[in-house]
Amino acid sequence: MGIMTNLIVDGEKFALIALETRSAVDFPPTELTPGLWASSASMIDLDQFWKEELGKNRTRDFHSCTLLLLVKEQATDSAVDQRLRDRVWQFYNGMLLADRYGTDQVPFFITGDFGPDGANVRSVDRLEPLRHAPTDRWSRLSNDQVRRGAEIGQAIQSFPWIGAHRLNRVLSLYREARTLLDWMDRIHQYTRCLDGLTVPPGGGTGKIFAERMALIVGPAHRDLFEEIYAIRGAIEHLRENDYTEPFDRAGRLGLVKKAGIVEYVARTSLVRILETKSLWQYFKSG
């Protein structure tokens, strides 16, 4: 984390998510979209709070963060607190959908306000770390990806979520899958995301799923998605050893590749839906 600035002034409430990832992000505190700020340097002076309340380890963890996401508002109404939490959470979800990256430690989720004596921290939560990182060890989060995350975050904020239970569940499943350690569990959860987006009929088979996926990825990849659905079924019924035993390097690499493919299709499909208003009607309940 670079030079510390203090973007929040007396009377403002704030919500902040800070994370450490492999990063080439080089942002001074920047308002990417109205009310959404990002920075590769600290935007808020919490040193006194960390030292007095949480100790040296958490102070060190916070200062190692490479990306901070912030929303703030001048307000006294306590109802604003939840609204700010929701907005920064939508920004964070937009960042998840902008690209695939991992985090090197557990991210911070901090809320509070500023008064004459400085920061008054209301809550400090820790989010699940993102474990499904790119296979390219040299991959780094970029400024463009952060800007894209802000755009997607706005789309999430604009989407009419009341009654859209299925899409909300798919987004939740996707977010959970990004935190999983096991490759097979990732394949299972990402495929469930696509199941939720394509809605095969009750008792649907892998063939029906693959036919619907062919409408998204093209007919040339139909057989691949039928195979992925078969892997999902094996995991669902606790038979993942059908694919993992005996150990075979090429087979394991194939599973890693499939996890990456199904993650990409789930992520980009979610973004397409969220940013295309003409599709919203198909994801409303009833």
Side-chain angles (χ1 to χ4, degrees), residues 42-89:
S42 178
M43 293 182 278
I44 177 171
D45 184 1
L46 294 176
D47 274 5
Q48 196 64 28
F49 170 76
W50 291 125
K51 291 174 182 176
E52 292 180 358
E53 303 294 334
L54 299 175
K56 292 182 179 179
N57 289 341
R58 279 198 167 182
T59 302
R60 184 178 62 245
D61 289 348
F62 184 72
H63 283 303
S64 70
C65 291
T66 54
L67 179 64
L68 295 93
L69 314 174
L70 172 74
V71 298
K72 65 191 184 81
E73 185 175 328
Q74 186 79 219
T76 57
D77 185 355
S78 60
V80 172
D81 296 343
Q82 187 59 51
R83 184 163 73 241
L84 293 176
R85 285 183 67 93
D86 291 344
R87 289 189 66 199
V88 79
W89 181 244

Side-chain angles (χ1 to χ4, degrees), residues 7-278:
L7 190 67
I8 305 172
V9 300
D10 186 10
E12 286 188 325
K13 294 177 178 288
F14 69 90
L16 171 77
I17 292 179
L19 54 94
E20 180 184 6
T21 186
R22 296 176 184 176
S23 177
V25 175
D26 184 17
F27 270 142
T30 304
E31 191 173 19
L32 299 180
T33 60
L36 300 178
W37 295 76
S39 179
S40 52
S42 178
M43 293 182 278
I44 177 171
D45 184 1
L46 294 176
D47 274 5
Q48 196 64 28
F49 170 76
W50 291 125
K51 291 174 182 176
E52 292 180 358
E53 303 294 334
L54 299 175
K56 292 182 179 179
N57 289 341
R58 279 198 167 182
T59 302
R60 184 178 62 245
D61 289 348
F62 184 72
H63 283 303
S64 70
C65 291
T66 54
L67 179 64
L68 295 93
L69 314 174
L70 172 74
V71 298
K72 65 191 184 81
E73 185 175 328
Q74 186 79 219
T76 57
D77 185 355
S78 60
V80 172
D81 296 343
Q82 187 59 51
R83 184 163 73 241
L84 293 176
R85 285 183 67 93
D86 291 344
R87 289 189 66 199
V88 79
W89 181 244
Q90 289 158 347
F91 190 3
Y92 180 69
N93 278 269
M95 283 299 308
L96 293 185
L97 294 174
D99 211 327
R100 198 176 86 219
Y101 57 90
T103 52
D104 297 330
Q105 61 163 320
V106 181
F108 291 90
F109 193 165
I110 304 168
T111 64
D113 57 65
F114 253 67
D117 298 325
N120 178 25
V121 175
R122 300 289 185 183
S123 66
V124 179
D125 300 316
R126 306 301 296 270
L127 303 176
E128 284 291 320
L130 305 176
R131 295 186 172 98
H132 193 181
T135 52
D136 177 7
R137 62 179 297 185
W138 303 112
S139 176
R140 296 291 185 270
L141 194 66
S142 70
N143 286 6
D144 287 344
Q145 288 165 337
V146 177
R147 293 186 185 278
R148 184 72 182 113
E151 294 171 354
I152 300 169
Q154 275 201 312
I156 295 172
Q157 186 176 345
S158 300
F159 187 85
W161 289 102
I162 296 175
H165 306 299
R166 178 161 49 91
L167 190 63
N168 192 32
R169 177 62 174 145
V170 170
L171 181 57
S172 177
L173 281 172
Y174 174 81
R175 188 170 57 241
E176 177 185 342
R178 288 283 294 272
T179 69
L180 298 174
L181 281 169
D182 187 85
W183 291 102
M184 300 299 280
D185 289 338
R186 291 172 184 168
I187 293 173
H188 181 212
Q189 293 295 75
Y190 292 136
T191 308
R192 289 183 67 202
C193 291
L194 294 175
D195 240 347
L197 295 179
T198 57
V199 198
T205 65
K207 292 185 182 298
I208 296 173
F209 172 79
E211 287 165 3
R212 295 195 173 196
M213 287 305 304
L215 299 174
I216 299 174
V217 300
H221 303 293
R222 183 201 171 283
D223 291 347
L224 171 63
F225 278 86
E226 186 171 352
E227 183 180 351
I228 287 173
Y229 195 84
I231 297 171
R232 174 222 189 259
I235 299 166
E236 181 77 21
H237 297 97
L238 306 180
R239 294 187 293 101
E240 57 262 47
N241 57 298
D242 290 354
Y243 292 89
T244 59
E245 298 175 3
F247 176 81
D248 175 72
R249 184 175 184 275
R252 291 292 177 91
L253 289 175
L255 292 171
V256 171
K257 182 178 179 179
K258 288 180 176 67
I261 291 170
V262 74
E263 182 278 330
Y264 175 82
V265 176
R267 171 164 46 86
T268 54
S269 297
L270 276 165
V271 172
R272 177 70 181 274
I273 292 164
L274 290 166
E275 294 189 326
T276 309
K277 289 186 177 181
S278 62

